[in-house]
């Protein structure tokens, strides 16, 4: 007994000594690396025009923050702007308080303030930082983070950080407003619109009708038009100082607000060595997808004679940006063909699937993800339904011809070590359907935007397994703060660890992570305009809120996703003039319309409407109209109430009754026939049974019809030419202004 005890003690002592020996050098080398960042509003010219941007230390992107694994990071961020800001350290494992999501984990940085962030660096790899306040990332608040490993495992001579981003000369808030109003302008400008003439020329009218029936215009790849895509802040960048034979590690970061790319490389096939900061089993690979917020590291070798082109081509083929490494003749990167949206629509129309899952629900507090999964998206036949797991989704999809999105899969990513969790750890399954409404530009999960849900509770010591089921026509790059998750793929136990995962249209991806933190962590689509339209959740460990957040309620962050956006149009034509205004948030909308015909006819209306769900709303308001044709002597004001329905095949239907008990039905629709040219039609029918008014003798019902039809040609983002006939105002033509 004594002997054993003594032996144990000696062993313990030995173990301690060993630990000490191992630990000492690590501690001895722990250094503090300090950075000072200043965020400022500045005039910048990134796409042929001087506009107001937001810079970090005077540049876009901001400086590269270089650290060493095991060191301690101290970063001071000074806000020299007149609006509040924040910085999130994307992909870093750090204490919740320093994660940088304003009002959720960290107080915002008020104008003039400096905030200190500090955390130990527990990892190595390529990461980035960006503002997490509204749309500031689009204005330029982003930069790269490089953490060198303690022990260098990869062989290369030099390295180069390449930050990809998208640039707009518009104010980002106006970009979002343009998306909210449902303008086709960005697609027209990008050449990705699919007007009816192109659809018919491709014999895709049947497919188009099937889409319209499900209230969809077609396949969407990207929403925003950008005049420029940037690599390290320029549309084109040259790095001639690399020498032939140099092995260069490219640390590629997609810091774009709403653009994913296909990366291609000139010269010999490069080696992919790392994804989202984590090393992967090296694989020779050229054309590779990089979703928003992902990072990939490639090792390229500079050729003896020539320079390598690295090119990032946008997923929708609307543009590209290139970096050139070395000297001499250019070894061009392979071209990436522009995706064929009409072809995609034709293929999708052949599949058995239900599109148009709503972005908001009649009863948002009733979360029914499984019902939603069953009713929308790919309709599985019964035997296939019994198969479970990720592999079976892929099998089912390919059986249904879904391989059109197979190009986005992550099977080439394999972790060099097993990433599985201990078997005895409890697993909690969560199903999140990714949902959205293109017309209203509202994005959500399970038909519930962030503003209509509670935090998702997770427990320390458990595994959270999330099935992301994309019910929309777009890819969504989903990002989890403060954790790495396994992306289940064909590599099984060696599935890669990531912080951002792209979920392709109508596809399912399963991720899982070990719950080892505390506090609240954001989980959201990294398309900036989807995040700010509600596609987000908060995972909460249920631990007490950090007292330093007192006075910074989380509802402020949530409110950012449920703001009112206001837009309008004004028409001046030879037959009439009019103005219309809309102010809308997720559930509520105010409409004002006024029309005046030069022949002395008029109508004005104000209504408030409430969306019960995407396609159905109730409304009430006031209507004013002249009662005698071509005379303004008698103007009648009535109270109106009714319902509005966005029908299959995308008609706007309005059913109402006024305070004189006169029922009215109206229907309207517009269609883009050619690029820029749309036609529209409207028909309204009202009956008066004489419940309040006295009808002419011998009549027991009086009917009134209003109709109009016309064409609109978009001259620019804000102006259109309009020609129309209205049975009250007659025929005419003029100009329409959008504001
Ligand atoms: Cu999204």
């Amino acid at each position: 007994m004594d002997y054993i005890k003594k032996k144990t003690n000696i062993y313990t002592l030995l173990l301690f000594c060993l630990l000490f020996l191992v630990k000492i050098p690590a501690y001895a080398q722990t250094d503090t690396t300090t950075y000072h960042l200043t965020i400022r509003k500045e005039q910048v010219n990134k796409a042929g025009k001087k506009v107001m941007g937001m810079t970090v230390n005077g540049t876009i992107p901001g400086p590269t923050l270089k650290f060493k694994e095991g060191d301690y990071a101290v970063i001071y961020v000074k806000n020299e702007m007149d609006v509040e800001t924040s910085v999130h350290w994307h992909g870093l494992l750090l204490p919740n308080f320093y994660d940088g999501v304003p009002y959720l984990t960290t107080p915002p940085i008020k104008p003039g303030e400096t905030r200190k962030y500090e955390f130990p660096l527990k990892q190595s790899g390529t990461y980035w930082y960006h503002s997490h306040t509204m749309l500031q990332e689009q204005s330029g608040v982003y930069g790269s983070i490089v953490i060198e490993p303690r022990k260098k495992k990869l062989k290369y001579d030099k390295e180069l950080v390449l930050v990809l981003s998208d640039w707009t000369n518009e104010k980002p808030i106006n970009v979002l407003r343009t998306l909210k109003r449902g303008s086709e302008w960005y697609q027209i400008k990008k050449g990705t619109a699919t007007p009816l003439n192109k659809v018919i020329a491709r014999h895709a009218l049947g497919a188009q009708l099937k889409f319209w029936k499900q209230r969809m215009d077609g396949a969407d790849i990207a929403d925003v038009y950008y005049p420029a895509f940037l690599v390290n802040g320029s549309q084109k960048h040259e790095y001639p100082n690399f020498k032939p034979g140099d092995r260069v590690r490219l640390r590629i970061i997609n810091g774009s607000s709403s653009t994913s790319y296909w990366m291609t490389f000139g010269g010999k096939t490069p080696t992919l060595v790392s994804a989202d900061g984590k090393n992967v089993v090296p694989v020779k690979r050229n054309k590779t997808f990089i979703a928003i917020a992902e990072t990939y590291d490639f090792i390229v070798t500079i050729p003896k004679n020539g320079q390598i082109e690295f090119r990032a081509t946008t997923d929708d083929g609307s543009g590209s940006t290139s970096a050139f490494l070395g000297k001499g003749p250019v070894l061009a990167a392979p071209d990436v063909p522009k995706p064929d949206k009409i072809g995609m629509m034709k293929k999708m129309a052949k599949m058995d699937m239900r599109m148009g899952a709503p972005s908001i629900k009649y009863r948002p507090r009733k979360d029914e993800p499984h019902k939603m999964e069953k009713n929308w998206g790919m309709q599985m036949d019964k035997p296939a339904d019994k198969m479970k797991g990720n592999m079976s989704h892929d099998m089912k999809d390919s059986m249904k011809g879904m391989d059109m999105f197979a190009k986005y899969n992550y099977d080439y990513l394999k972790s060099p070590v097993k990433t599985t969790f201990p078997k005895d750890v409890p697993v909690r399954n969560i199903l999140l359907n990714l949902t959205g409404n293109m017309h209203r530009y509202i994005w959500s999960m399970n038909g519930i935007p962030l503003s209509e849900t509670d935090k998702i509770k997770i427990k320390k010591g458990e595994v959270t397994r999330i099935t992301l089921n994309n019910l929309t026509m777009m890819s969504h790059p989903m990002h989890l703060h403060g954790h790495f998750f396994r992306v289940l793929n064909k590599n099984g136990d060696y599935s890669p660890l990531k912080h951002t995962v792209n979920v392709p249209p109508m596809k399912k991806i399963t991720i899982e992570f070990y719950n080892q933190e505390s506090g609240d962590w954001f989980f959201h689509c990294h398309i900036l305009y989807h995040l700010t339209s509600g596609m987000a959740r908060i995972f909460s460990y249920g631990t007490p809120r950090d007292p330093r957040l007192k006075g910074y309620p989380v509802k402020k962050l949530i409110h950012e996703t449920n703001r009112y956006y206001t837009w309008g149009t004004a028409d001046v034509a030879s037959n009439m003039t009019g103005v219309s205004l809309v102010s809308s948030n997720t559930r509520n909308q105010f409409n004002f319309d006024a029309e005046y015909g030069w022949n002395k006819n008029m109508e004005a209306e104000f209504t408030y409407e409430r969306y019960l769900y995407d396609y159905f709303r109730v409304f009430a308001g006031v209507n004013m109209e002249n009662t005698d044709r071509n005379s303004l002597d008698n103007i009648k004001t009535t109270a109106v109430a009714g319902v509005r329905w966005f029908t299959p095949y995308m008609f706007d239907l309005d059913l109402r009754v006024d305070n004189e008990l006169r029922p009215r039905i109206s229907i309207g629709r517009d269609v883009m026939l050619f690029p820029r040219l749309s036609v529209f039609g409207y028909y309204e029918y009202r009956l008066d049974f004489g419940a309040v008014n006295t009808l002419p003798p011998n009549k027991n019902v009086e009917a009134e019809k209003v109709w109009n039809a016309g064409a609109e040609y978009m001259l620019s983002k804000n102006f259109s030419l309009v020609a129309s006939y209205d049975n009250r105002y007659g025929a005419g033509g003029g100009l329409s202004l959008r504001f």
Side-chain angles (χ1 to χ4, degrees), residues 572-577 598-599 722 729 731-735:
V572 183
S574 57
N575 55 341
M576 55 86 74
T577 178
W598 304 118
N599 58 2
V722 181
Y729 315 128
L735 203 61

Side-chain angles (χ1 to χ4, degrees), residues 137-186:
E137 185 191 300
Q138 180 78 81
S139 297
V141 187
Y142 49 83
S144 48
I145 298 173
V146 171
I147 310 172
E148 290 296 336
R150 280 270 137 197
K151 247 195 196 157
K152 203 172 153 187
K153 280 184 193 154
L154 293 164
K155 284 197 181 113
Y156 56 91
D157 308 304
K158 290 171 181 168
E159 61 175 61
L160 176 67
V161 172
L162 297 170
V163 179
L164 303 172
S165 60
D166 42 23
W167 185 261
T168 172
N169 285 333
E170 288 182 72
K171 279 188 185 153
I173 197 78
N174 285 338
V175 171
L176 186 49
R177 225 161 52 92
T178 303
L179 296 169
K180 292 271 181 190
R181 76 188 295 163
S183 168
E184 290 288 336
W185 177 248
Y186 290 145

Side-chain angles (χ1 to χ4, degrees), residues 311-501:
R311 194 190 303 163
T313 307
T314 64
D315 192 19
D316 68 354
S318 65
S320 69
T321 178
S322 293
F324 298 87
L325 288 77
K327 272 188 201 127
V330 172
L331 299 167
D335 291 331
V336 177
K338 200 169 177 158
D340 170 14
K341 276 173 81 175
I342 295 174
M344 281 164 70
M345 186 167 77
K346 280 169 86 170
K347 272 189 203 162
M348 280 192 258
K350 283 199 191 107
M351 289 172 218
D352 187 13
M353 78 185 167
R354 256 190 100 202
M355 299 172 276
S359 67
I360 54 173
K361 293 175 58 170
Y362 175 51
R363 279 190 292 180
R365 293 287 151 191
K366 208 170 163 205
D367 192 2
E368 299 164 306
H370 294 280
K371 200 172 154 192
M372 195 162 216
E373 180 193 31
K374 206 173 144 225
N375 290 345
W376 300 93
M378 298 299 295
Q379 299 298 293
M380 303 302 171
D381 13 89
K382 291 230 165 76
D385 225 8
K386 281 178 189 152
M387 296 197 282
K388 285 271 142 65
N390 197 53
M391 281 302 284
S392 65
H393 294 315
D394 286 344
M395 278 158 57
K396 277 182 278 181
D397 286 350
S398 58
M399 284 191 303
K400 303 253 174 190
M402 276 296 275
D403 18 29
M404 61 193 296
F405 298 118
K407 61 180 180 180
Y408 295 111
N409 84 46
Y410 285 107
D411 283 346
Y412 55 90
L413 294 182
K414 185 179 181 182
S415 169
V417 291
K418 275 194 186 180
T419 54
T420 44
F421 309 115
K423 288 244 154 43
D424 51 344
V425 176
V427 176
R428 195 179 148 217
N429 287 291
I430 295 174
L431 170 62
L432 291 173
N433 300 289
L434 306 181
T435 45
N437 182 323
M438 239 356 246
H439 308 287
R440 297 198 63 223
Y441 215 77
I442 286 167
W443 299 91
S444 57
M445 296 182 212
N446 295 344
I448 308 168
L450 180 67
S451 57
E452 298 184 349
T453 187
D454 297 320
K455 294 174 183 176
I456 299 176
K457 291 264 157 62
I458 56 173
K459 254 196 208 142
K460 199 163 183 157
E462 285 189 358
V463 165
T464 304
R465 181 179 295 154
I466 307 169
T467 301
L468 296 163
N469 181 32
N470 189 349
L471 296 178
T472 76
M473 291 285 122
M474 284 190 84
S475 283
H476 300 284
M478 304 302 296
H479 169 53
L480 176 64
H481 287 224
H483 301 71
F484 276 83
F485 48 73
R486 305 179 70 226
V487 178
L488 301 190
N489 69 4
K490 73 160 195 190
N491 297 312
D493 289 356
Y494 295 87
S495 290
L497 291 171
K498 297 188 94 269
H499 51 59
T500 306
V501 63

Side-chain angles (χ1 to χ4, degrees), residues 476 525 527 530 535:
H476 300 284
C525 177
I527 295 177
H530 290 189
M535 202 172 215

